[in-house]
Amino acid sequence: QVQLVESGGGLAQPGGSLRLSCAASGNTFTINGFGWYRQTPGTQREPIAVTSKSGDTYYADSVKGRFTVSRDNAKNMVFLEMNNLRPEDTAVYYCNSRTPWGFDSWGQGTQVTVSS
C-alpha cells in the first residue's frame, strides 16, 4: 500500500500563491504517476497536474502556466506550486499516486480557498 499525506493548503487572495506538498510512504517503489487532483462540491474529481517517474508532465488547461508540479523521488514527495490564484481554484486538492497497472492511492485532501 501507499499512504499519502498532503499539507500546505489554506486561504489565499486572488493573485496570490500557495505551495502544496505530499509525502508518500509504504510501497513507494510502485509509484509511477504522482500528482494532484481537485474537486469542488457537485463536481467530479479531476486531474490538475501529474508527473510520471520519467519526468513527463500533464497540466489541465485551467492551470497551465500558473501551476507547476515537481517531484523528489528520493524523498518520495510531490509538490504543487500554485501562482496567480483565482477564486475558481477554490477546491479540495488531493494527492494521487498510480502504479503502472493502474492502482490509485489518495491523500486525505487539503482545502484551498481563494477569496478576498
Side-chain angles (χ1 to χ4, degrees):
Q1 316 97 325
V2 174
Q3 295 80 46
L4 303 173
V5 179
E6 305 101 333
S7 62
L11 178 65
Q13 294 187 343
S17 298
L18 285 173
R19 179 177 170 87
L20 305 183
S21 300
C22 175
S25 61
N27 296 331
T28 58
F29 61 91
T30 66
I31 295 174
N32 186 4
F34 203 11
W36 299 90
Y37 288 58
R38 70 185 182 189
Q39 186 172 17
T40 59
T43 70
Q44 185 175 351
R45 192 175 299 181
E46 65 174 355
I48 297 302
V50 179
T51 182
S52 72
K53 194 172 182 66
S54 64
D56 294 330
T57 56
Y58 163 83
Y59 292 97
D61 287 343
S62 59
V63 307
K64 194 172 298 182
R66 300 187 298 120
F67 292 9
T68 302
V69 63
S70 60
R71 178 173 180 169
D72 187 333
N73 289 320
K75 295 183 178 180
N76 299 313
M77 296 189 72
V78 67
F79 308 92
L80 185 66
E81 182 71 34
M82 304 185 292
N83 298 311
N84 194 22
L85 285 163
R86 303 167 179 169
E88 53 263 42
D89 294 319
T90 296
V92 177
Y93 285 71
Y94 294 91
C95 184
N96 167 264
S97 71
R98 183 168 294 168
T99 69
W101 54 94
F103 185 87
D104 285 325
S105 296
W106 297 95
Q108 80 283 1
T110 185
Q111 177 70 43
V112 171
T113 301
V114 183
S115 176
S116 297

